[in-house]
Amino acid sequence: MGTDSQASREGATVYVPLKGSLGMKVVKAVQRGLRFLARQENSFKTNLLRVSTQNFFLSLTQQFQSLYIVALGATPFQLGIVNSVGGLAGAAIATPTGWLADRYGIRRILLLGTPLMALGALIFALAPNWMTIILAILLTRLALRMVMTVCPMVCGSCLKSEERATGMQLCDTLSAAPRLIAPIIGSMLVTWFGGINEQGIRPLYYLQAIGLCLVLAFISQRFTNPSANRTSKTVSNLVEGVREVLTQGTMVKRWLLYLSLSTIPMAISPVYLPLFAAEIKHADQLILGGIAAASMVAPLSLSIVIGRLADTVGRKKVIYLTTPVYCISLLLLIYARSSTILLASGILQGFFMLSSVTQGAMTAELVPTSLLGRWYGLLGLFRGSVTVLVPVIGGAIWGCIGPEYVFFFLIATQLLKLLILMTMPETLRLSRG
């Protein structure tokens, strides 16, 4: 009896410190995150709130947009054409946006892009047929390319090189949280309004338009340009600015090719993945919302760890680790025979975002800070060009070869980009003034 009591006391003695140790680790991790945020510029913290709110309202419709366009009468190939037209608008505006941000500041670009995004959402809501969606896509992609061009400029301007990947992953974690909730809410609303059809999806766009107007009001009241993004009338002209990027940057031409390949999943997955899950795998609106929400699990739970890893062992090693996991998610999608496998595929899809944020840190470190606007504008031009071509290619593959081959095509492009990454320098210790 005494032995048992002693063992119990010893067990308690061992167990309590372990529990306390785990609790302390969590508390310390939260404290480190809060200290990190506290020492950043207000521009960084305000932009974090802006992106989080914007992500919530955009994520209400993301998993249903392709199905909405098809419900309005488009075929899968016409769906690709509609999205390609939107990519054309994004490609056209990207480079001027970067130049304008360097000259006039990030804030003005956000104040211009956000209302255009809200207008695009309103046209989505009012569209009587799929042809009208072309105008909505044009405005939405134009606005998204504008805000996406200047958003990484905030991190590039505010964060130090030795904590850039961690900071960007932290920003990604916090701003991704609404994207975990919004798809579920969107799915519930679609169910409430009548299911996966025109009437069931349309109200989400009214809600999205109202939400984006609130984001615009927040920007106008709270956002200021980062100190490293002071406006200057002495910024070189557009053509000269591109030349400066190409001459002063580190292997930027090769990185343009790499990021073009990395953009392909972003151009294809939102268009064809929900359609594939719904029409080929027979997923209902709740499963579609679950897949979208599941894709946020990895970014939310692993982004800080991945960021610290990228800031210690290097950006390239992290990308080598995360990209194959994303490719596995596509294989699970192709061969899924149950909703459980579809949701598992969604969880692993989140590794694409982890990879993207890490390569975003590399992107910011390849050119001097003073050229970030023009650099991101040039990247936007190439990325926009990809979004013009790839949706049509995806539609052709879907119709001529088979829906599953769209995702085999994605896998091939991501493996190819790793071969290009092997030829790039590690930027972790690359100092750019």
Side-chain angles (χ1 to χ4, degrees):
M1 183 69 176
T3 304
D4 290 341
S5 299
Q6 183 180 2
S8 297
R9 288 194 299 271
E10 290 175 354
T13 302
V14 173
Y15 175 74
V16 172
L18 284 176
K19 183 178 179 181
S21 177
L22 178 61
M24 287 301 296
K25 287 180 180 179
V26 173
V27 170
K28 289 181 179 179
V30 172
Q31 289 175 338
R32 284 196 299 269
L34 291 175
R35 285 196 298 268
F36 177 89
L37 287 175
R39 66 174 180 265
Q40 303 308 319
E41 289 188 45
N42 284 333
S43 302
F44 178 84
K45 290 177 279 192
T46 306
N47 189 59
L48 174 58
L49 291 174
R50 177 196 69 82
V51 175
S52 299
T53 309
Q54 177 182 291
N55 281 348
F56 176 83
F57 289 106
L58 292 181
S59 296
L60 287 174
T61 62
Q62 183 175 352
Q63 68 271 29
F64 298 115
Q65 184 160 297
S66 295
L67 300 171
Y68 181 61
I69 298 172
V70 170
L72 289 174
T75 66
F77 184 70
Q78 290 168 336
L79 177 65
I81 293 176
V82 169
N83 282 274
S84 291
V85 171
L88 182 62
I93 199 64
T95 303
T97 295
W99 179 80
L100 289 169
D102 277 340
R103 185 177 179 116
Y104 298 108
I106 295 170
R107 184 175 186 272
R108 292 188 181 183
I109 303 301
L110 293 176
L111 288 174
L112 178 60
T114 306
L116 289 177
M117 203 183 310
L119 180 58
L122 181 61
I123 295 174
F124 263 109
L126 297 172
N129 54 58
W130 74 271
M131 292 291 290
T132 311
I133 295 295
I134 294 176
L135 177 59
I137 288 278
L138 275 171
L139 289 174
T140 302
R141 293 293 178 83
L142 182 73
L144 274 173
R145 180 48 57 194
M146 293 174 71
V147 300
M148 287 173 64
T149 296
V150 299
C151 184
M153 290 176 62
V154 178
C155 288
S157 300
C158 295
L159 299 175
K160 298 177 182 178
S161 178
E162 61 271 17
E163 60 183 16
R164 182 169 288 121
T166 301
M168 294 179 78
Q169 291 286 8
L170 177 62
C171 180
D172 183 67
T173 298
L174 299 177
S175 63
R179 297 174 66 180
L180 181 65
I181 303 169
I184 303 300
I185 295 176
S187 298
M188 295 171 63
L189 290 173
V190 167
T191 302
W192 177 266
F193 289 116
I196 303 179
N197 53 53
E198 178 185 338
Q199 290 73 27
I201 300 173
R202 187 184 297 274
L204 297 185
Y205 287 101
Y206 285 111
L207 181 59
Q208 186 179 89
I210 294 170
L212 291 172
C213 288
L214 296 177
V215 173
L216 175 62
F218 175 76
I219 295 169
S220 64
Q221 293 295 317
R222 299 295 300 273
F223 185 82
T224 56
N225 289 318
S227 58
N229 182 244
R230 298 185 182 95
T231 61
S232 174
K233 300 299 181 182
T234 61
V235 171
S236 56
N237 63 53
L238 184 58
V239 175
E240 181 61 30
V242 171
R243 186 179 295 114
E244 289 175 350
V245 168
L246 296 177
T247 56
Q248 297 183 37
T250 302
M251 300 182 72
V252 292
K253 294 178 183 177
R254 194 169 302 178
W255 195 245
L256 287 170
L257 176 59
Y258 172 89
L259 282 186
S260 295
L261 290 170
S262 187
T263 301
I264 291 176
M266 293 185 282
I268 282 188
S269 288
V271 180
Y272 291 107
L273 195 152
L275 190 65
F276 183 83
E279 293 194 355
I280 308 300
K281 299 299 177 178
H282 309 294
D284 61 18
Q285 64 268 22
L286 296 178
I287 295 301
L288 290 174
I291 293 171
S295 69
M296 292 296 104
V297 171
L300 284 170
S301 59
L302 297 176
S303 59
I304 303 301
V305 175
I306 294 295
R308 289 302 303 160
L309 193 62
D311 280 335
T312 52
V313 305
R315 285 64 162 118
K316 292 175 62 174
K317 291 179 181 178
V318 168
I319 298 172
Y320 290 141
L321 173 68
T322 52
T323 300
V325 179
Y326 169 67
C327 292
I328 292 172
S329 78
L330 297 177
L331 292 174
L332 288 178
L333 175 70
I334 293 168
Y335 294 109
R337 294 184 179 274
S338 68
S339 298
T340 302
I341 301 300
L342 288 176
L343 293 174
S345 170
I347 292 174
L348 296 187
Q349 285 169 31
F351 280 80
F352 177 78
M353 185 178 295
L354 293 171
S355 175
S356 296
V357 176
T358 302
Q359 68 194 22
M362 287 189 69
T363 301
E365 293 158 353
L366 289 172
V367 301
T369 303
S370 60
L371 295 176
L372 280 178
R374 281 150 285 182
W375 173 222
Y376 285 120
L378 184 60
L379 288 171
L381 172 63
F382 278 79
R383 285 172 160 170
S385 299
V386 169
T387 60
V388 172
L389 298 173
V390 169
V392 174
I393 294 173
I397 293 173
W398 182 292
C400 298
I401 304 176
E404 66 275 16
Y405 288 95
V406 173
F407 303 101
F408 283 125
F409 169 67
L410 280 186
I411 293 172
T413 62
Q414 298 316 288
L415 295 178
L416 178 59
K417 86 173 186 181
L418 293 183
L419 296 179
I420 297 174
L421 183 64
M422 291 179 183
T423 68
M424 291 294 299
E426 174 56 58
T427 63
L428 177 58
R429 306 303 176 195
L430 185 63
S431 175
R432 306 298 300 181

